[in-house]
Amino acid sequence: MTDTHEVVAAYWAAAEARDWDAFGSLLADDVVYEAPQTRERVRGRAAYIRFNNEGFSGQWHVTVQQIVAEPRRAASWIQMSEPDEAYPGLCFFEIGDDGRIAKITDFWPEPCGLPAARAHLVERY
Amino acid sequence: MTDTHEVVAAYWAAAEARDWDAFGSLLADDVVYEAPQTRERVRGRAAYIRFNNEGFSGQWHVTVQQIVAEPRRAASWIQMSEPDEAYPGLCFFEIGDDGRIAKITDFWPEPCGLPAARAHLVERY
């Protein structure tokens, strides 16, 4: 377990608690968030707290599935649960010199169909 | 850099080279592959090599964006390029006692629209 592991665990715990002071304390002043699927970007701690606090009104809950961490970067796999659905979320983190989160890249893969071309090569679960 | 980092880098290098012997040498005998979006599962080295060799006929090329590695687990973020498109792929790996890959969980997030509810909280890129 690295300090970076603890930073990412604390990030998700603060998000789950809607504790935006604790959440913000983990972020660099100039943190950058990007979501490649929508090509969204948010710059700076205050804007990123507001994005999380105001951008997602649902009764969402986060369960951490895995955190993989090196001293300066990490990845997390969470399960996001809402009243009617649950789905995975994947983030890659970069950590700055001061140990705070400098960059977050966020992915939300969605369920999709199995291509017929490889159906004979797999089982389903 | 850990040995696990090198195993994951070698995994993608072997896939890119279609060097299925090298690819197989990185896998546990009873490797398990899962893709939660399609609920596909493949069990065992031979089946998993066949899945990769026969299941994807396109002229695909892999570029590694990031590997994050601990001794017993890792995550990779790749860019998959085909003649007409390029898209990210994300994997989480579990490493067995012998240093080979025991479990792969594979995600392919797709482009999607930006919900109007948070459009005022982001920029686009």
Side-chain angles (χ1 to χ4, degrees):
Chain A
M1 174 113 30
T2 63
D3 288 347
T4 302
H5 191 291
E6 290 163 17
V7 167
V8 174
Y11 172 93
W12 287 119
E16 172 65 16
R18 278 66 165 170
D19 182 343
W20 304 116
D21 288 340
F23 189 82
S25 73
L26 301 165
L27 305 173
D29 297 352
D30 57 353
V31 62
V32 175
Y33 166 91
E34 290 181 352
Q37 290 166 273
T38 47
R39 303 188 74 77
E40 283 168 275
R41 182 184 289 128
V42 181
R43 300 174 193 262
R45 181 191 298 124
Y48 187 56
I49 291 173
R50 188 173 172 220
F51 169 77
N52 280 278
N53 188 16
E54 300 179 18
F56 305 88
S57 59
Q59 295 179 333
W60 50 267
H61 293 283
V62 175
T63 308
V64 174
Q65 305 293 301
Q66 276 200 43
I67 294 169
V68 185
E70 296 180 4
R72 295 295 294 268
R73 53 190 174 179
S76 69
W77 168 8
I78 62 161
Q79 184 82 345
M80 183 69 82
S81 300
E82 297 194 52
D84 296 327
E85 58 180 343
Y87 48 92
L90 309 168
C91 285
F92 282 74
F93 297 88
E94 296 177 18
I95 308 296
D97 290 335
D98 61 359
R100 292 188 294 177
I101 296 167
K103 177 87 187 283
I104 302 160
T105 310
D106 192 23
F107 297 96
W108 297 97
E110 299 212 337
C112 59
L114 175 65
R118 65 175 189 268
H120 64 296
L121 299 171
V122 308
E123 60 181 272
R124 307 301 293 280
Y125 69 92
Chain B
M1 175 117 27
T2 62
D3 288 347
T4 302
H5 191 291
E6 289 163 17
V7 168
V8 173
Y11 172 93
W12 287 119
E16 172 65 16
R18 279 64 165 170
D19 182 343
W20 303 118
D21 288 341
F23 189 82
S25 74
L26 302 165
L27 305 173
D29 297 352
D30 57 352
V31 62
V32 174
Y33 166 91
E34 289 181 353
Q37 291 166 273
T38 47
R39 303 191 73 77
E40 284 168 275
R41 182 183 290 129
V42 182
R43 301 173 192 263
R45 181 191 297 124
Y48 187 56
I49 291 172
R50 189 174 172 219
F51 169 78
N52 280 278
N53 188 17
E54 301 179 18
F56 305 87
S57 58
Q59 295 178 333
W60 51 266
H61 293 284
V62 174
T63 307
V64 174
Q65 305 293 302
Q66 276 201 41
I67 294 170
V68 185
E70 296 180 5
R72 295 295 294 270
R73 53 189 175 180
S76 68
W77 167 8
I78 63 161
Q79 185 81 345
M80 182 68 82
S81 299
E82 298 194 54
D84 296 328
E85 58 179 343
Y87 47 92
L90 309 167
C91 285
F92 282 74
F93 297 89
E94 297 176 18
I95 308 296
D97 290 335
D98 61 358
R100 293 188 294 177
I101 296 168
K103 178 87 187 282
I104 302 161
T105 310
D106 193 21
F107 297 96
W108 297 96
E110 300 211 337
C112 57
L114 175 64
R118 66 175 189 264
H120 64 295
L121 299 171
V122 308
E123 61 181 271
R124 307 300 293 279
Y125 70 92

